[in-house]
Amino acid sequence: MGVRRVAKGVSDFLVETVGEVVAEVLLSLLACAVLGALVLIAHLSWSFSPRVTLAGAGLLSLALAHGAWTAFRAPAKGRGRRGLAAVTSFGFLLTAATAAYLLFYATGCDCP
């Protein structure tokens, strides 16, 4: 009985370890793909029109700043976030989550 329990414990440990390694590899590959797609979008946008790229980056920065401002301030009493405030807050939180994900997983991409 002791041998079976030890064998089951070892097999559970191996399955968990292999699962974690596979998940780590998949998350790293996804992070490298997202980072590559962002670089490709920036490159294609800049090659199409630098002025439009800078204008778009400025508008995106304004939207993210508004989202951060609305996300970290208390809404008026009796009112939740509505309309533009809800959209920019969601955009800011999505961008922040993506940046944190890339910070943790895309640092090992070894991109040339």
Side-chain angles (χ1 to χ4, degrees):
M1 281 208 205
V3 174
R4 287 184 186 176
R5 189 173 21 187
V6 169
K8 180 162 176 44
V10 169
S11 70
D12 288 344
F13 172 76
L14 287 175
V15 167
E16 184 176 334
T17 303
V18 169
E20 287 180 9
V21 169
V22 169
E24 186 79 21
V25 167
L26 288 177
L27 287 172
S28 295
L29 287 175
L30 181 64
C32 289
V34 168
L35 188 62
L38 290 173
V39 168
L40 180 66
I41 289 169
H43 174 72
L44 291 176
S45 176
W46 187 263
S47 66
F48 175 70
S49 174
R51 290 181 185 152
V52 173
T53 302
L54 291 176
L59 287 174
L60 181 64
S61 297
L62 284 174
L64 291 175
H66 183 264
W69 181 63
T70 57
F72 291 118
R73 73 178 177 107
K77 288 186 177 184
R79 297 186 64 184
R81 287 177 175 61
R82 295 183 182 159
L84 182 64
V87 171
T88 57
S89 294
F90 177 74
F92 169 72
L93 294 174
L94 182 67
T95 303
T98 303
Y101 170 71
L102 289 176
L103 179 68
F104 289 127
Y105 287 103
T107 54
C109 280
D110 297 329
C111 301

